[in-house]
Amino acid sequence: GSVLSSGEDGGIRSWDPAGAHACLREIRLDCGPVGQLAAMGRMVWAAGQDGTVHKLDGRTLEVRAIRRVTSNQ
């Protein structure tokens, strides 16, 4: 398995937790900083600061779906 991280730059990175801890994959999302990641099965959900939620393949980090979330506040 791998370890995922997100950042202020809109990037999501997949890391090898063994050995040299190398970055295996990296993508940049156009949604501002990515503050939340949630893994569910083989999919990963990433929430951006602009209210966009991306559904990603957990292995390849390929974007499978994008949804804009709005608040009723």
Side-chain angles (χ1 to χ4, degrees), residues 41-62:
R42 293 180 65 171
M43 304 310 291
V44 174
W45 298 83
Q49 185 177 30
D50 69 354
T52 303
V53 177
H54 292 78
K55 181 181 178 183
L56 309 166
D57 181 292
R59 195 176 312 174
T60 65
L61 298 183
E62 180 179 334

Side-chain angles (χ1 to χ4, degrees), residues 3-7 11-15 23 25 27 34 37 61:
V3 175
L4 297 176
S5 67
S6 63
I12 298 177
R13 293 162 189 86
S14 174
W15 301 90
C23 182
R25 286 172 212 73
I27 63 164
V34 176
L37 291 175
L61 298 183

Side-chain angles (χ1 to χ4, degrees), residues 1 4 6 10 17 19-20 22 24 26-28 36 45-46 48 50 54 57-58 63 67-69 73:
L4 297 176
S6 63
L24 303 172
E26 178 179 3
I27 63 164
R28 302 258 176 169
Q36 294 84 26
W45 298 83
D50 69 354
H54 292 78
D57 181 292
V63 176
R67 175 169 288 182
R68 180 83 175 178
V69 178
Q73 297 178 357

